[in-house]
Amino acid sequence: MEFERRAKEVIRSIPRGKVATYAQVATLAGNYKGARQVARVLHSSLDKDRLPWQRVINSRGGISLKRGHGFEEQKRLLIREGVRVDRLGRIELDSFQWEAGGMRRSAAKEFLRKLTQ
DNA sequence: AGTATGACGTTTT
DNA sequence: AAAAACGCCATAC
C-alpha cells in the first residue's frame, strides 16, 4: 500500500537522537488515524535493518515492545544514540521528540512534498 | 462477508 | 499514576 511506503520514508527521516510517536509518523505519512498501521508496518517489515525502527515510540513517551520481546534492544539502541531512557522505558518527549511539524495535520502535506521532490 | 487482532491513542475512572 | 473503556482501521483468516 501507498501509506506503508510513505510511513517508511517518514521513519527514515527521523534524525538520530530523536524519536517520533506512532501517531506522529501516521500523520506525516498522510493518515492521522493510522497509528496502528504504523505499528503493523514495523512489526512485519522485512527490511527492518534499513529502518531506524527504534525511534518510534508510543504517545505516552514509552517503549511499546514488551520485555523479552525487543524492549531491551530498543532501549539499548536509543541510549547508544543519546536518547535518555529510564528503567521503565520512558523518554521525555519534551526533550527528544522530533519536531518536524509536530502533530499538526497541515504539516503532513508540506512534509510529503519535501519527501517526494 | 464477518470476525479477531494489534510495537496505538484519547478520554474517563 | 495507572488502568479501563472506548475508538480506530488495515490485515489475516
Side-chain angles (χ1 to χ4, degrees), chain A residues 95-106:
Chain A
S95 307
F96 295 103
Q97 183 171 26
W98 181 33
E99 351 7 28
M103 294 289 291
R104 288 179 302 111
R105 302 243 287 281
S106 59

Side-chain angles (χ1 to χ4, degrees), chain A residues 46-103:
Chain A
L46 302 180
D47 50 337
K48 226 176 194 174
D49 12 19
R50 292 168 41 82
L51 288 177
W53 58 271
Q54 73 274 20
R55 296 177 192 154
V56 185
I57 63 176
N58 63 42
S59 67
R60 309 187 312 265
I63 289 175
S64 282
L65 291 175
K66 293 179 181 163
R67 302 199 173 253
H69 294 83
F71 175 96
E72 290 81 2
E73 186 182 11
Q74 183 166 12
K75 179 176 174 182
R76 178 176 61 75
L77 289 171
L78 286 173
I79 288 176
R80 193 169 66 182
E81 57 186 60
V83 176
R84 213 162 51 239
V85 185
D86 74 12
R87 190 170 48 87
L88 299 175
R90 285 180 311 205
I91 294 148
E92 256 192 79
L93 288 178
D94 286 341
S95 307
F96 295 103
Q97 183 171 26
W98 181 33
E99 351 7 28
M103 294 289 291

Side-chain angles (χ1 to χ4, degrees), chain A residues 2-60:
Chain A
E2 188 58 18
F3 171 75
E4 180 166 332
R5 189 188 66 75
R6 291 199 305 263
K8 287 182 181 178
E9 285 302 314
V10 171
I11 292 167
R12 289 191 186 98
S13 306
I14 306 172
R16 185 181 172 80
K18 290 288 180 182
V19 296
T21 67
Y22 296 92
Q24 182 181 1
V25 172
T27 299
L28 291 173
N31 177 3
Y32 77 105
K33 290 180 185 172
R36 305 194 83 149
Q37 283 65 259
V38 172
R40 179 184 54 75
V41 167
L42 287 172
H43 183 75
S44 60
S45 179
L46 302 180
D47 50 337
K48 226 176 194 174
D49 12 19
R50 292 168 41 82
L51 288 177
W53 58 271
Q54 73 274 20
R55 296 177 192 154
V56 185
I57 63 176
N58 63 42
S59 67
R60 309 187 312 265

